[in-house]
Amino acid sequence: MQDLLLSYYGDDLTGSTDVMEALELGGVATVLFMRHPDEALLSRFADCRAVGLAGTSRSETPQWMDTHLRDAFIWLKTLKAEICHYKVCSTFDSSSKIGSIGRAIEIGRSVFGQDSVPLVVGAPQLKRYTAFGHLFAAYRDRYFRIDRHPVMSRHPMTPMDEADLLIHLSRQTGLASGLLDLATLQSASRSQAFDRLVENGAAIVLVDVDSRETQTLAGKELWRTRRPGGTFVVGSSGIEYALLAAWAETATVHAEPRFSPPGVADRIAVVSGSCSPTTERQIRHALTDGFDGIEVDPVELVSESSEHAIARAAACGRASLQAGRSVIFYTALGPTADRGAEIDRQEGARHKLGRGLGALLRELTIEQKLKRVVIAGGDTSSHALGQMGVDALTVRMPLPASPGSPLCVAHSSIAAIDGLEVALKGGQVGTDRYFSAIRDGLGG
């Protein structure tokens, strides 16, 4: 491959496509692999200047990370990209037991042999902001400190009860940390202050971002402090937006992105494992706009009778698709329908739920010759797409109305899957008519 600007590991699939979208919008050709590619697969994307690896660490334990995440970082390091990014959700939801960002930083710092790891979470493009170390996020055109956010403060797996990100991280790692705050970032002594934090022993340096202007300054620091052989950094897709601003100023990237409209799909299939109120509104809207809804019992889907649950759902979906109608399979309609407590009685059940939805979607995609599908739910997407036989994804078209959830193209050795258009939507992403817009090719 040509010299890589960036490699990355996404802690879930929707987060991984979020990064790919940001890079493609900036003119950086990018491929996202579902697993470590062999040389033959890697060579098919030799023109790319960024390479991603989709992961599941957001829903995994630190013990899982010690093996699987370390192996992933070791492989990414062999690519020798200028920057290697561990991508986390812009809401930073994590804990010491599940999706530990602190543990991921420890592993990456060890693999790359770095004293200090830069951290950027703010992403104005996604309405996420950090100010003096505190994270803020939008919800329905209002802005909340993350520990008061109507959704993320009550996340079923990793509720965010602390807005100060360095305090939040201190519950997950013993590494010392420091903050390059907004005032210092915008001062003439920005770089000296960054270097001083590192010299004084900050193993994690959080850089505030609350606007496009401070994002550009953060990007300059990330690019300035890179090391030969690749620098390990952590954060949201705000990392990419920050770097793209720096690359634009230095003419590092020259390509202009070009995307053609995908057009209308006669019918699509959607699977959703999301309990988000955002997804609930999107499903309810779709059911008034030509979609058939099929509820799938999540407890049965993770039980010993899961094959029967999939078969029943497939039969219902088949009838709708054969009648020319789009269909949505969902395991919940909003947070009040969340049955996570029942599901979690079985170890690994949430992963199994995603795999079950993926198996259902694969069966109908192949049988009904579908050309476009959607998977909703950040944790769901990683495990569902793993059942689809997809080797890699590239961007078909970004969706300006729903940043972070591009329409992708699947690359697969399975003929019926190769070329499939796939949209992967996190729980908080998209307007109310997201599913309808994907069907109609209108951009989310």
Side-chain angles (χ1 to χ4, degrees):
M1 303 187 80
Q2 59 179 302
D3 293 341
L4 291 178
L5 287 172
L6 186 134
S7 63
Y8 70 96
Y9 178 100
D11 69 349
D12 69 6
L13 189 52
T14 56
S16 300
T17 57
D18 177 15
V19 169
M20 185 165 60
E21 176 185 54
L23 289 167
E24 288 279 358
L25 282 169
V28 180
T30 306
V31 59
L32 174 65
F33 294 108
M34 299 301 103
R35 61 195 65 82
H36 293 185
D38 57 25
E39 287 302 318
L41 181 58
L42 194 62
S43 66
R44 288 174 54 188
F45 303 92
D47 61 330
C48 290
R49 298 201 70 190
V51 170
L53 187 63
T56 61
S57 57
R58 184 181 179 190
S59 58
E60 306 287 2
T61 66
Q63 294 73 31
W64 181 96
M65 290 181 175
D66 287 340
T67 299
H68 298 88
L69 199 52
R70 184 176 298 276
D71 288 346
F73 289 162
I74 290 171
W75 178 74
L76 289 170
K77 186 179 180 183
T78 67
L79 299 178
K80 298 182 179 178
E82 297 279 1
I83 301 286
C84 180
H85 174 200
Y86 177 67
K87 197 276 180 188
V88 303
C89 184
S90 59
T91 51
F92 217 69
D93 49 303
S94 54
S95 75
S96 61
K97 295 180 179 179
I98 295 293
S100 173
I101 297 170
R103 186 63 187 132
I105 292 174
E106 292 171 354
I107 295 169
R109 181 171 175 264
S110 170
V111 169
F112 281 80
Q114 286 176 216
D115 291 330
S116 186
V117 175
L119 172 65
V120 175
V121 181
Q125 294 81 356
L126 305 179
K127 297 184 179 180
R128 307 288 193 261
Y129 312 90
T130 49
F132 297 93
H134 289 72
L135 177 60
F136 299 81
Y139 178 72
R140 306 206 77 182
D141 299 322
R142 293 183 60 194
Y143 296 85
F144 298 87
R145 206 172 69 183
I146 200 67
D147 57 349
R148 297 175 182 173
H149 191 278
V151 177
M152 299 315 301
S153 65
R154 305 166 190 168
H155 190 283
M157 289 291 288
T158 48
M160 284 297 288
D161 59 0
E162 175 57 66
D164 188 318
L165 296 186
L166 296 185
I167 290 178
H168 183 69
L169 273 178
S170 71
R171 301 169 177 173
Q172 303 173 21
T173 178
L175 293 174
S177 60
L179 171 66
L180 190 64
D181 62 54
L182 290 175
T184 308
L185 180 65
Q186 297 175 86
S187 72
S189 60
R190 173 183 73 245
S191 295
Q192 296 94 315
F194 187 105
D195 294 343
R196 189 160 52 249
L197 285 168
V198 175
E199 292 164 3
N200 290 340
I204 303 168
V205 176
L206 172 62
V207 183
D208 267 344
V209 169
D210 74 335
S211 64
R212 301 292 182 102
E213 292 72 25
T214 53
Q215 188 173 68
T216 298
L217 297 175
K220 288 181 177 180
E221 289 307 303
L222 291 174
W223 198 236
R224 178 186 71 84
T225 56
R226 73 190 191 281
R227 309 180 318 159
T231 298
F232 178 73
V233 304
V234 175
S236 70
S237 57
I239 291 278
E240 280 66 37
Y241 288 113
L243 286 169
L244 285 165
W247 292 339
E249 288 196 1
T250 58
T252 301
V253 176
H254 304 283
E256 290 292 329
R258 294 181 181 179
F259 306 99
S260 59
V264 178
D266 60 344
R267 63 214 167 116
I268 69 172
V270 179
V271 295
S272 172
S274 171
C275 298
S276 162
T278 301
T279 305
E280 177 187 6
R281 292 195 305 274
Q282 292 161 343
I283 293 173
R284 292 189 185 280
H285 180 279
L287 297 183
T288 69
D289 191 26
F291 283 75
D292 289 342
I294 298 171
E295 186 173 3
V296 182
D297 186 332
V299 176
E300 185 180 12
L301 192 60
V302 302
S303 71
E304 293 182 356
S305 60
S306 60
E307 292 185 5
H308 298 294
I310 292 171
R312 282 200 310 277
C316 294
R318 185 177 298 112
S320 294
L321 292 165
Q322 288 175 343
R325 294 174 64 81
S326 295
V327 63
I328 297 181
F329 301 92
Y330 58 90
T331 58
L333 265 178
T336 59
D338 182 13
R339 298 178 68 186
E342 294 175 75
I343 293 170
D344 289 337
R345 292 170 187 162
Q346 180 183 150
E347 186 176 354
R350 289 181 184 262
H351 296 3
K352 187 175 181 181
L353 186 149
R355 292 194 297 270
L357 291 175
L360 170 62
L361 186 59
R362 171 176 167 149
E363 178 180 337
L364 290 176
T365 296
I366 294 173
E367 177 192 290
Q368 297 296 313
K369 298 180 172 58
L370 299 179
K371 302 301 182 184
R372 190 177 300 166
V373 300
V374 183
I375 303 175
D379 296 337
T380 302
S381 295
S382 301
H383 301 287
L385 198 68
Q387 299 297 303
M388 296 284 291
V390 175
D391 298 319
L393 293 173
T394 52
V395 170
R396 172 67 178 82
M397 188 184 78
L399 307 178
S402 302
S405 60
L407 186 63
C408 300
V409 175
H411 302 269
S412 174
S413 59
I414 302 170
I417 300 297
D418 192 50
L420 178 70
E421 293 179 345
V422 185
L424 303 148
K425 191 199 83 68
Q428 308 309 312
V429 172
T431 63
D432 287 359
R433 67 180 316 272
Y434 178 87
F435 298 128
S436 298
I438 293 292
R439 179 196 59 196
D440 300 339
L442 301 179

